[in-house]
Amino acid sequence: MTDFVVVGGGIAGLSAAAHLAPHGSVTLLEMEQSLAFHTTGRSAALFVVNYGGEGSRPLALASQPFFESPPEGSVDAALLADRGALWIADHTQLERLHAIADEGHRSGAGSELVDADGVLDLVPRMRQERIAAGLYEPSARDIDVAALHQAFVRMARRDAADIRLSSPVTHLTRLANGWRVSTPNGSLDCSAVVNASGAWGDLVAAMAGIRPIGLEPMRRTAFMVPGDRAFADWPMVVDVDHNFYFRPDGVQLLCSLAEETPSEPMDPRPAMEDVALAIERINQATTLDIRTVNSQWTGLRTFAPDRDLVIGEDPTAPGFFWLVGQGGTGIMTSPAYGALVASQVLGTGLPEALANAGVDPATTAPDRFRV
Ligand SMILES: Cc1cc2nc3c(=O)[nH]c(=O)nc-3n(C[C@H](O)[C@H](O)[C@H](O)COP(=O)(O)OP(=O)(O)OC[C@H]3O[C@@H](n4cnc5c(N)ncnc54)[C@H](O)[C@@H]3O)c2cc1C
């Protein structure tokens, strides 16, 4: 018997476990032999407020205090490093650029429009003739994702959470006052289950006889190419139509086609044509002349039908809590959504810090798919 079972050892499951562990016994079940093996280990690691759905933006803002001042003993070094984000547009993309600027203004992102010269000042290797304007968000920062995930592991373990690897959940049975969670190694009874299984979210719900949300895992490939120390201060550069992005990462550049290709839940591998197309587009927009790829990987960004997060108790299944649909914002929103789902499981009401940041649990509630 345990109070709470969390399914999934990515950033979502660990944040939920870290926030629940001070309030009861927690067992986290991860099917792989290591934590963060799937999407969490494959992100571009950026904190940027002007990105994602209406529900995720206040969660990003509400996560900022955790990033800037994590709990004592949870980290060995800073979780954030200065970066900045720069959306770029050619003359055909200006309408889109202004729409993103408006969204940023509404979200409190603190971004500013810059002209072509301003873009070139920030990233001198852009091709001048392809730039009409840009939108610069100086407060965007790099996240140390491994350290963040490890911070949640430390917080959960400090409060005696039991983290089990190689433990795939295979079935969930509804009990009078909770759930029986079955794995090949045995079963566990608990009062509440948190489904943080990423791309597998609907499959885990189906094991409990619960209707799917309609989650759609989407492939996105990233790769590293040789860079230069001189690029270190560049912001992340994002094409406004998401045709590509790149940012410095040490002496390399992390690049992506920013593609969204539907996939089954799986361990996806990069497709050479996606990498080649991204290189072609980045070379057309810059004078970088990329010719070599150092490493490459693909992850699944999983979206609900309205592309916002799904956080909360399923109205058809008491004690079954969803924590899925993080799409492309699941790292930067993780401190706040862990606190949110824990407050829902515990029934303690919305934490004041989340309310002050504008978090509205109705925006992300699973109820919106149950009408
Ligand atoms: C290329 C790329 C760039 C990205 N860039 C950013 C970014 O800059 N900023 C940002 O915030 N986000 C970014 N993201 C998104 C972010 O990585 C995800 O939103 C986040 O990692 C999702 O975390 P998760 O814990 O839900 O999923 P996962 O990390 O996939 O974890 C789910 C876990 O559940 C486990 N599981 C599944 N089924 C079972 C079962 N039956 N039993 C037990 N365990 C199970 C899986 O093995 C897995 O470990 C990016 C993603 C990609 C791919």
Side-chain angles (χ1 to χ4, degrees):
M1 178 75 191
T2 185
D3 291 326
F4 314 118
V5 168
V6 177
V7 186
I11 199 84
L14 262 304
S15 180
H19 286 89
L20 282 169
H23 308 284
S25 51
V26 174
T27 304
L28 182 143
L29 302 170
E30 165 54 50
M31 67 179 175
E32 302 290 354
Q33 292 171 15
S34 57
L35 298 171
F37 176 80
H38 287 287
T39 310
T40 295
R42 307 177 193 204
S43 89
L46 206 73
F47 179 93
V48 51
V49 171
N50 191 8
Y51 191 68
E54 291 295 313
S56 80
R57 289 165 186 246
L59 286 167
L61 282 174
S63 294
Q64 220 159 322
F66 182 103
F67 282 118
E68 285 166 358
S69 161
E72 177 106 32
S74 63
V75 297
D76 300 322
L79 291 174
L80 295 179
D82 288 345
R83 171 60 55 209
L86 177 66
W87 284 261
I88 51 159
D90 64 21
H91 288 280
T92 67
Q93 296 173 305
L94 286 173
E95 204 175 314
R96 178 82 193 113
L97 185 77
H98 287 110
I100 296 177
D102 290 346
E103 285 169 19
H105 185 66
R106 278 199 304 276
S107 319
S111 38
E112 61 202 62
L113 286 164
V114 288
D115 61 14
D117 288 342
V119 170
L120 283 163
D121 282 348
L122 289 162
V123 186
R125 299 286 288 271
M126 299 307 301
R127 283 186 201 277
Q128 190 164 17
E129 66 277 15
R130 294 188 58 96
I131 300 297
L135 178 72
Y136 181 46
E137 184 176 324
S139 63
R141 280 170 283 176
D142 291 339
I143 304 171
D144 185 336
V145 180
L148 174 64
H149 188 267
Q150 191 56 32
F152 292 140
V153 171
R154 285 185 190 175
M155 289 164 64
R157 288 216 168 109
R158 188 182 55 202
D159 285 307
D162 180 6
I163 298 175
R164 300 187 189 172
L165 302 174
S166 306
S167 300
V169 171
T170 51
H171 194 70
L172 292 112
T173 312
R174 209 179 290 207
L175 307 175
N177 284 315
W179 291 87
R180 175 161 300 149
V181 184
S182 302
T183 75
N185 317 318
S187 61
L188 269 168
D189 290 357
C190 62
S191 58
V193 177
V194 177
N195 175 12
S197 58
W200 288 264
D202 276 342
L203 296 181
V204 168
M207 292 173 194
I210 295 170
R211 253 173 57 208
I213 293 287
L215 297 173
E216 235 189 323
M218 301 274 201
R219 292 169 56 90
R220 178 160 290 188
T221 300
F223 55 96
M224 293 287 197
V225 303
D228 193 299
R229 291 227 174 271
F231 305 165
D233 292 337
W234 290 359
M236 180 163 187
V237 175
V238 188
D239 173 86
V240 280
D241 285 317
H242 291 153
N243 288 318
F244 64 83
Y245 63 72
F246 60 88
R247 71 159 174 82
D249 188 302
V251 289
Q252 303 187 90
L253 287 174
L254 184 157
C255 309
S256 175
L257 182 61
E259 83 279 18
E260 290 190 352
T261 311
S263 166
E264 293 299 309
M266 62 185 297
D267 177 10
R269 298 298 149 121
M272 281 321 297
E273 56 271 27
D274 291 338
V275 174
L277 184 56
I279 291 175
E280 188 184 319
R281 288 179 180 171
I282 294 170
N283 282 344
Q284 279 169 0
T286 68
T287 58
L288 287 166
D289 194 21
I290 297 168
R291 290 164 185 270
T292 319
V293 174
N294 293 342
S295 60
Q296 53 199 305
W297 64 91
T298 299
L300 296 179
R301 297 155 77 249
T302 297
F303 293 92
D306 62 3
R307 293 178 69 92
D308 226 324
L309 289 92
V310 186
I311 308 170
E313 189 172 32
D314 192 301
T316 69
F320 185 96
F321 292 78
W322 293 89
L323 184 56
V324 296
Q326 288 90 343
T329 64
I331 307 294
M332 64 180 167
T333 51
S334 58
Y337 66 59
L340 174 59
V341 79
S343 72
Q344 293 170 329
V345 170
L346 299 165
T348 49
L350 183 65
E352 203 180 323
L354 270 57
N356 290 342
V359 173
D360 175 5
T363 318
T364 48
D367 310 38
R368 67 194 198 272
F369 302 110
R370 296 295 185 237
V371 283

